[in-house]
């Protein structure tokens, strides 16, 4: 194992994340810190970063470096975006940092910034075609992705700070202000003819503005899950929030639930730009990314060119299992056994076959994740860990269904909290119950016959599921199966479970 750190010098904030990297390239965050330095505001009329801005940069970098050293980071990767990129005195800044802190700053071009943003999306979302927007402190990156490939991308100097200088929105916006902003930003979009190829694509929002929109919407509807990544909001709901925000003064905006107070004064203008981009391209919804450039740098470090051939779902599952110190080969065995049982029990004509196959594979791999906290109550701890984990490519509903399936497999009368029930339909709940029975049987077989699984024969009859086991082994399992599991098998699959000797 080794620890590495990534420092992101943004125009609005600076962040550091320290990662522990395992031999299989799994990772976990062991420390992080954020400072709202707003370096973009310290670019003077000559396009130099002022002495005050340089002092803020140096103090923050010095503290971040101490934090990295405290966490035994063997490598510190430092990247900077528009504020330093734009500064005429960037060479002086880089030399000062190198001389005093022994850190090398890599200044990203606008296209590199876009590429890292998409690299993060590619590694964490199941998206083929989308329009990406990353509104930072000083710049806005817009990227068009088709068939998981960047077709076009641009960085324009219209981040939250310069946009707010042009359009402060510090009081309720009148119609003239709204029209003026729309005309201004549409003129910018008109210079990008390739945006016509982004019509009707989902918009993926990267950066603080998009995250704030997601947090506000979650508060508006009392959304029960803490997950923000891949949180999806329809355009008409975005518009409702937008109209609400436009009618507020700055003091009122600082009290919006979900909006960080330090962002209240620079939120409305970039929010307006995002809404106008959705309007311009007829984007049906906004998908929020919780991750950005920093994670892109990390994924490049871990996967490199293999990102194109890596199964992002399996990579994220391995990451969860490794972080919880679980046996990967055991997880694979439960997965294989569950799939075999599923083939015997599932109706191949089911309209949910593809979804069930996917969810069972994930639940089987994560079935033991709660054991890292408590063996006795692994089912409920597993539920909590799963619904608070990044499982790449899954929707929030699918993550919740995986968690519920794992919980049910350990306790068939596990009650889903009322706050989560509104996210699942009756069919969703029925799927979880069906899959939990399969998962429970697989777990029981493996627990009692982990050295002789090849000797287990499954016989599927009309009203009966027979497990044929070695004669000497039957006595171990026969009385170990929960009555509730047999009842659930009969209810979900109309079959009785029998254990017989080979």
């Amino acid at each position: 194992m080794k620890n590495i750190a990534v420092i992101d010098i943004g125009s609005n904030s600076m962040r550091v994340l320290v990662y522990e990297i395992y031999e299989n390239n799994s990772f976990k965050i062991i420390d992080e810190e954020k400072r709202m330095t707003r370096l973009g505001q310290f670019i003077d009329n000559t396009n130099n970063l002022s002495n005050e801005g340089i002092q803020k940069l140096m103090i923050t970098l010095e503290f971040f470096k101490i934090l990295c050293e405290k966490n035994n980071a063997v490598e510190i990767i430092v990247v900077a975006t528009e504020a330093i990129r734009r500064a005429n005195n960037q060479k002086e800044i880089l030399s000062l940092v190198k001389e005093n802190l022994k850190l090398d700053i890599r200044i990203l071009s606008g296209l590199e910034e876009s590429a890292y943003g998409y690299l993060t999306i590619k590694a964490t979302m199941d998206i083929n075609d989308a329009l990406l927007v990353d509104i930072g402190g000083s710049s806005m990156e817009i990227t068009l992705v088709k068939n998981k490939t960047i077709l076009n991308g641009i960085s324009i100097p219209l981040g939250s700070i310069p946009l707010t200088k042009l359009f402060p929105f510090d009081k309720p916006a009148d119609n003239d202000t709204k029209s003026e902003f729309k005309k201004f930003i549409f003129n910018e979009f008109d210079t990008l003819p390739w945006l016509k190829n982004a019509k009707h694509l989902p918009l993926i929002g990267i950066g603080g503005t998009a995250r704030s929109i997601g947090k506000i919407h979650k508060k508006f509807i009392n959304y029960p899950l803490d997950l923000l990544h891949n949180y999806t909001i329809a355009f008409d709901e975005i518009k409702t929030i937008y109209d609400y925000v436009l009618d507020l003064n700055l003091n009122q905006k600082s009290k919006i639930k979900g909006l960080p107070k330090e962002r209240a004064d620079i939120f409305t203008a970039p929010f307006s730009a995002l809404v106008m981009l959705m309007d311009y391209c007829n984007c049906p919804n906004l998908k929020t990314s919780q991750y950005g450039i920093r994670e892109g740098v990390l994924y490049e470090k871990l996967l490199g060119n293999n990102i194109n051939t890596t199964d992002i779902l399996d990579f994220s599952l391995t990451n969860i299992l490794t972080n919880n110190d679980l046996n990967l080969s055991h997880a694979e065995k439960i997965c294989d056994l569950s799939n075999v049982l599923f083939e015997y029990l599932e109706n191949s004509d089911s309209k949910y076959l593809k979804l069930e196959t996917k969810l069972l594979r994930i639940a089987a791999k994560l079935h033991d994740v709660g054991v890292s906290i408590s063996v006795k109550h692994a089912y409920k701890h597993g539920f909590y860990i799963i619904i608070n984990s990044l499982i790449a490519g899954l929707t929030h509903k699918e993550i919740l269904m995986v968690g519920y399936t794992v919980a049910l497999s350990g306790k068939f009368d596990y009650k889903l909290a009322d706050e989560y029930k509104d996210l699942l339909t009756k069919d969703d709940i029925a799927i979880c119950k069906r899959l939990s029975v399969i998962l429970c049987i697989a777990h029981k077989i493996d627990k009692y016959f982990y050295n002789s699984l090849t000797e287990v024969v499954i016989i599927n009859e009309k009203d009966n599921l027979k497990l044929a086991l070695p004669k000497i082994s039957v006595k171990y399992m026969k009385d170990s199966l929960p009555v509730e599991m047999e009842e659930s098998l009969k209810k979900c699959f109309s079959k009785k479970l029998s254990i017989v000797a080979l």
Side-chain angles (χ1 to χ4, degrees), residues 425-470:
T425 66
K426 288 184 178 180
D427 286 345
D428 295 331
I429 291 174
I431 288 171
C432 294
K433 290 181 177 179
R434 287 159 59 82
L435 298 182
S436 70
V437 177
I438 296 171
L439 186 54
C440 183
I441 295 173
H443 186 260
K444 289 295 182 181
I445 293 175
D446 177 73
K447 184 173 184 178
Y448 289 93
F449 306 103
Y450 54 86
N451 287 325
S452 55
L453 287 180
T454 55
E455 297 180 66
V456 177
V457 177
I458 302 171
I459 304 168
N460 188 32
E461 298 175 345
K462 183 179 179 181
D463 302 315
N464 199 22
L465 179 70
K466 286 184 179 179
L467 297 179
L469 309 171

Side-chain angles (χ1 to χ4, degrees), residues 392-450:
L394 263 61
T395 65
H396 287 194
K397 176 191 277 194
E398 290 171 339
I399 292 173
L400 179 58
M401 290 176 72
V402 169
Y404 190 34
T405 298
V406 169
L408 284 170
S409 72
K411 187 176 176 62
F412 282 103
D413 61 351
Y414 181 84
K415 301 297 182 185
L416 192 65
D418 289 341
E419 61 182 343
Y420 300 124
K421 287 181 179 178
D422 289 340
L423 299 181
L424 301 181
T425 66
K426 288 184 178 180
D427 286 345
D428 295 331
I429 291 174
I431 288 171
C432 294
K433 290 181 177 179
R434 287 159 59 82
L435 298 182
S436 70
V437 177
I438 296 171
L439 186 54
C440 183
I441 295 173
H443 186 260
K444 289 295 182 181
I445 293 175
D446 177 73
K447 184 173 184 178
Y448 289 93
F449 306 103
Y450 54 86

Side-chain angles (χ1 to χ4, degrees), residues 208-466:
T209 298
R211 288 194 297 270
S212 294
I213 295 169
K215 290 175 183 177
I216 292 170
H217 186 263
K218 288 175 68 175
K219 291 291 185 182
F220 262 52
I221 66 171
N222 293 317
Y223 192 70
L225 294 175
D226 286 336
L227 297 171
L228 183 60
H229 192 64
N230 207 15
Y231 182 68
T232 304
I233 316 171
F235 177 68
D236 59 346
E237 296 180 61
I238 293 281
K239 190 68 167 54
T240 297
I241 296 176
Y242 177 58
D243 292 338
Y244 169 76
V245 170
L246 283 182
D247 285 338
L248 304 178
N249 60 37
L250 184 55
N251 182 55
Q252 292 169 321
K253 289 172 188 174
S254 67
K255 298 175 182 177
I256 297 175
K257 292 182 178 179
L259 178 62
K261 291 186 183 299
E262 69 271 14
R263 190 175 288 276
D265 60 328
I266 56 168
F267 174 66
T268 312
F271 185 11
S272 300
L274 186 147
V275 172
M276 292 300 113
L277 181 59
M278 292 187 76
D279 185 22
Y280 189 87
C281 295
N282 295 311
C283 297
N285 52 50
L286 170 70
K287 292 181 178 292
T288 304
S289 173
Q290 189 173 338
Y291 310 108
I293 292 173
R294 297 167 295 283
E295 289 77 16
V297 170
L298 175 69
Y299 282 116
E300 180 184 60
K301 180 78 176 175
L302 297 180
L303 301 176
N305 292 330
N306 292 331
I307 183 65
N308 296 316
T309 56
T310 298
D311 185 315
I312 62 169
L313 174 57
D314 280 344
F315 184 78
S316 66
L317 294 178
T318 299
N319 205 65
I320 295 170
L321 293 171
T322 302
N323 282 330
N324 286 278
D325 196 26
L326 296 175
N327 188 314
L328 298 180
S329 60
H330 171 69
E332 288 290 345
K333 188 189 296 184
I334 293 294
C335 183
D336 292 342
L337 187 52
S338 296
N339 288 336
V340 172
L341 288 166
F342 181 74
E343 290 175 5
Y344 279 97
L345 289 169
E346 188 51 66
N347 178 2
S348 60
D349 294 328
S350 170
K351 63 180 179 179
Y352 299 115
L353 181 61
K354 186 176 180 181
L355 173 64
E356 289 179 322
T357 303
K358 177 171 73 170
L359 297 185
L360 179 61
R361 179 168 77 93
I362 299 165
K365 285 194 174 186
L366 299 180
H367 77 284
D368 258 350
V369 72
V371 170
S372 60
I373 299 177
S374 166
V375 173
K376 183 177 181 180
H377 298 110
Y379 63 93
K380 65 180 179 182
H381 294 303
F383 175 80
Y384 178 80
I385 291 172
I386 289 167
I387 68 168
N388 287 281
S389 296
L390 167 64
I391 305 180
L394 263 61
T395 65
H396 287 194
K397 176 191 277 194
E398 290 171 339
I399 292 173
L400 179 58
M401 290 176 72
V402 169
Y404 190 34
T405 298
V406 169
L408 284 170
S409 72
K411 187 176 176 62
F412 282 103
D413 61 351
Y414 181 84
K415 301 297 182 185
L416 192 65
D418 289 341
E419 61 182 343
Y420 300 124
K421 287 181 179 178
D422 289 340
L423 299 181
L424 301 181
T425 66
K426 288 184 178 180
D427 286 345
D428 295 331
I429 291 174
I431 288 171
C432 294
K433 290 181 177 179
R434 287 159 59 82
L435 298 182
S436 70
V437 177
I438 296 171
L439 186 54
C440 183
I441 295 173
H443 186 260
K444 289 295 182 181
I445 293 175
D446 177 73
K447 184 173 184 178
Y448 289 93
F449 306 103
Y450 54 86
N451 287 325
S452 55
L453 287 180
T454 55
E455 297 180 66
V456 177
V457 177
I458 302 171
I459 304 168
N460 188 32
E461 298 175 345
K462 183 179 179 181
D463 302 315
N464 199 22
L465 179 70
K466 286 184 179 179

Side-chain angles (χ1 to χ4, degrees), residues 130-143:
L131 184 66
L132 278 58
V133 63
D134 183 354
I135 305 178
S138 291
S139 65
M140 178 192 309
E141 281 69 48
I142 305 175
T143 312

